[in-house]
Amino acid sequence: MVHPSRSILPKWYAEDKFLETEAISATSDTTHSFVFGRMFKTPSNRTYRDGNHLRIGFCHLEFPYDCNGCLAEPPSNIAQTVTAIYNRASPSSMGQHRRQDDDGAKEKKEEEEGSCVLARCVVDYTVQTDAGLVDDIVRQFADLGYRCERGLEDTVMRLVVGGGSAAGSGSRSERLLRRKSQDPRPAATVRRLAGHSALPQLVDCNARAFGYDATGNTEWLHAKLASQLDQPDAFSVYAAVDGTTSDAKVMSFAIIYRAAEKAPHLAFVQAVATAPEHRRRGLASAVIQYAVDQLSAGTCVYLEACDPHAIALYQGVGFEEVGKVRSTECILLR
């Protein structure tokens, strides 16, 4: 049910969530958009969490300036529907949707490869003030055996690129690296990664930074990062490396997403990570600064963070807090 009387979405929320979901869509097999959120399906990468989930935001997030500014409720049986969809039920059971694969090739691939292993729903209630409605939705998932983690909160931060950034590309990032010149660890240079030559090193850095290596499964991460490297117009991958050769070790990296056709003035920091043994030497700050320096003046850059140390790091580069995103994550473990 749509509520036309509700206030228009905050600009920071509409832009941040548009960018985040567009970035996920770019590495998913199919995306379905609804008035209450977006669904991502990636049977080709079945344990890729973001690529296999429904995001309920109680609003339409496909494009912020095409948004009707209204809140909308998901169907009353949303938990059962989501579970059925990720068990190979047709997405048409959720009503009208927009497909991004017009030629049907991806849908055919999905049918051939079977259902997704992971069933997941993120209930983002940042703009939904009806706590009873949110609780009812989460309870539906809990009753079906989903593990529900409540009270998640991320800080949304924003930076507007100043004039002359591209002209002085790398200058401040180089100063940030020189501050740690007495560090006995290998010297670092920051550059953009292109192609798959550094993919193994990038996967290794990412996996160890976030602890994915402990799970014993990083195939989904390899596929996701390969997809991002294969889309250089959408994703820019910058890294601090210990040399200039193709096999140089990736010590820290940042991935920047841009929806150039829909919103050329916006950018999103999709991921930032530093290998454990290379932390506390300014590498992440240097990489982020270098990435920002490549953007045109006036570009509005968003990111989300929950760790106080990360928030302080981003503030040091010039990001400012603009809001909080609150959600509950529901996962059906198989």
Side-chain angles (χ1 to χ4, degrees), residues 17-27 31 33 38 40 61-63 98 100 235 257 259 262:
K17 286 304 166 187
F18 158 70
L19 290 167
E20 181 189 27
T21 56
E22 284 288 300
I24 296 172
S25 178
T27 54
T31 300
S33 293
R38 303 187 85 174
F40 309 95
L61 293 174
E62 185 175 348
F63 188 57
R98 179 189 61 83
Q100 292 187 322
F235 294 97
Y257 172 77
K262 292 184 178 181

Side-chain angles (χ1 to χ4, degrees), residues 247-263:
D247 61 348
K249 185 175 183 179
V250 174
M251 297 183 281
S252 181
F253 71 90
I255 300 175
I256 311 298
Y257 172 77
R258 297 189 66 202
E261 292 186 3
K262 292 184 178 181

Side-chain angles (χ1 to χ4, degrees), residues 109-176:
K109 180 178 180 182
E110 178 179 333
E111 292 174 354
E112 292 173 348
E113 298 196 21
S115 62
C116 301
V117 172
L118 186 68
R120 176 173 175 254
C121 180
V122 174
V123 184
D124 178 348
Y125 51 89
T126 304
V127 298
Q128 177 55 262
T129 59
D130 187 343
L133 172 61
V134 175
D135 288 341
D136 286 343
I137 293 171
V138 174
R139 191 178 302 112
Q140 283 187 47
F141 285 98
D143 289 345
L144 289 178
Y146 284 71
R147 183 189 68 194
C148 299
E149 186 174 359
R150 302 169 186 261
L152 301 177
E153 183 176 272
D154 288 305
T155 298
V156 178
M157 307 185 76
R158 181 175 61 198
L159 176 151
V160 178
V161 179
S165 291
S169 175
S171 59
R172 186 164 185 263
S173 66
E174 290 169 0
R175 290 198 297 272
L176 288 168

